[in-house]
Amino acid sequence: MALLGNGKPERDDLLLKRAIEEESSVYLTPKALKEIQNNTIHYFAVIREDIEGETYLLAIKDILFVNLNEEVLNYIYIIFSYVVEDLVFSRKLKEIYGKSEVPCSFSFVKELYKMSELHKKQGIESSIVFFTFEELPETYPYDLEKSIRKLDMLCILEERKLVVFLLPFTSILGAESFAQRIQKQFPALKLVRITKVKESNLNDYIKKAAYNAE
């Protein structure tokens, strides 16, 4: 079990115990905090995440009461899950690279894995967009990098004549708008496939896009 947070927990901290025993995230409302006099309770919220057989707890000791609500805590949970995925990814990466050659960068594969996990656990949508090309103008790799958000990922597969965009936290509708903009801005590219991120195997996505491009 790993504990992340802004304070050192007491061994008998009640919120930590509840998070472990109930296998869920827990928090105290402002009303409950006023009623509790037990000094062993130090945390307003403990957010729990289970990945690969390990339990990670985010202990929040100090938060404004106005932010102590389910909506804000759900948002924190999403960010927390995103961070925890980074911590456990190194184990998965060895397995992914061991099965077959992966044509894109470590960063691209890592982001794809994280987005697939967020989709499975939280239903958060991300998308992958594929373009094909006959000849890629010399300036396109640089210009394409400059045309996307810092959050987005780009992978150019010269041998397969594919340009791949990973769009985290982007629905199919948003990906379609993105694809229209890219096609107008870069006429040498032809759209071949837009798909949701569901699994983490990049080669499966590439094979389907290559088939569509034929």
Side-chain angles (χ1 to χ4, degrees):
M1 182 181 72
L3 176 68
L4 307 178
N6 59 343
K8 185 177 180 181
E10 297 289 338
R11 294 185 63 182
D12 58 350
D13 190 295
L14 298 185
L15 278 189
L16 291 177
K17 283 185 176 181
R18 281 185 56 193
I20 295 169
E21 293 171 359
E22 298 178 12
E23 298 186 355
S24 64
S25 300
V26 296
Y27 67 94
L28 294 176
T29 64
K31 181 179 178 181
L33 283 169
K34 291 178 181 178
E35 296 174 353
I36 293 177
Q37 301 297 324
N38 189 338
N39 291 327
T40 63
I41 296 179
H42 294 274
Y43 297 90
F44 298 158
V46 177
I47 299 176
R48 177 188 175 110
E49 173 73 310
D50 295 302
I51 296 179
E52 299 297 313
E54 292 191 17
T55 299
Y56 295 82
L57 299 176
L58 171 66
I60 302 173
K61 184 177 181 180
D62 187 14
I63 187 171
L64 293 174
F65 283 161
V66 69
N67 291 329
L68 190 57
N69 57 66
E70 189 171 355
E71 182 179 356
V72 171
L73 292 177
N74 282 338
Y75 179 76
I76 294 174
Y77 173 70
I78 291 171
I79 301 300
F80 177 52
S81 299
Y82 186 83
V83 172
V84 170
E85 291 293 350
D86 247 351
L87 299 177
V88 301
F89 181 75
S90 57
R91 283 177 252 164
K92 279 289 182 180
L93 183 65
K94 183 177 180 181
E95 178 184 332
I96 292 170
Y97 271 90
K99 289 181 178 178
S100 60
E101 183 180 349
V102 180
C104 294
S105 68
F106 170 86
S107 297
F108 192 103
V109 177
K110 178 176 71 172
E111 200 67 15
L112 176 61
Y113 172 78
K114 287 159 64 178
M115 292 304 103
S116 69
E117 290 298 303
L118 283 176
H119 174 74
K120 292 173 186 176
K121 295 174 181 178
Q122 297 295 312
I124 297 170
E125 290 189 11
S126 297
S127 301
I128 303 182
V129 181
F130 289 86
F131 292 88
T132 188
F133 57 88
E134 293 296 331
E135 295 293 334
L136 198 64
E138 186 176 340
T139 62
Y140 267 38
Y142 173 79
D143 293 338
L144 287 168
E145 284 280 5
K146 299 291 288 185
S147 71
I148 61 177
R149 304 173 300 176
K150 290 184 179 180
L151 189 65
D152 300 333
M153 306 294 294
L154 168 67
C155 178
I156 299 176
L157 308 177
E158 293 279 359
E159 291 186 3
R160 291 181 177 267
K161 294 191 177 297
L162 288 174
V163 175
V164 190
F165 294 95
L166 174 60
L167 309 178
F169 309 111
T170 303
S171 66
I172 289 294
L173 186 61
E176 289 173 348
S177 297
F178 169 85
Q180 290 174 8
R181 177 175 65 82
I182 292 296
Q183 279 201 296
K184 289 179 181 178
Q185 193 172 349
F186 302 95
L189 301 183
K190 179 184 176 183
L191 179 65
V192 292
R193 184 176 175 83
I194 300 176
T195 186
K196 290 181 181 179
V197 172
K198 293 184 178 180
E199 302 298 331
S200 61
N201 191 327
L202 177 59
N203 284 325
D204 284 349
Y205 293 105
I206 292 173
K207 287 177 183 177
K208 292 176 182 178
Y211 177 80
N212 289 356
E214 292 178 355

